[in-house]
Amino acid sequence: RVFKEYSGVTVTEFIHENRIRKSCELLKNTSMSIEDISRQIGYTNKTSFYKRFRAQLGISPADYRKVNI
């Protein structure tokens, strides 16, 4: 509760936001596969990563990479 009162988000939301932020950096700056990126940032299931990425940014990881090349 204290974390949410201080930051405005839950610990879980904070972790997901930071993972997606890191994945964006990797998508822009590396040629790693999306599956490798999802594993590196802590997702064991790439489908979960795709869903979380799309929910947070409104675009798929592949489309994000195309736009930010």
Side-chain angles (χ1 to χ4, degrees), residues 38-61:
S38 71
R39 278 194 300 262
Q40 183 167 339
I41 62 168
Y43 286 93
T44 55
N45 181 335
K46 79 175 181 182
T47 303
S48 297
F49 169 65
Y50 275 83
K51 286 180 181 180
R52 178 65 60 177
F53 194 98
R54 185 178 288 280
Q56 193 166 326
L57 298 179
I59 189 171
S60 73

Side-chain angles (χ1 to χ4, degrees), residues 19-36:
R19 285 178 172 175
I20 297 302
R21 188 174 303 119
K22 179 64 176 175
S23 72
C24 289
E25 291 175 25
L26 293 170
L27 287 165
K28 283 193 262 187
N29 300 318
T30 71
S31 60
M32 291 173 61
S33 72
I34 295 170
E35 189 169 349
D36 287 343

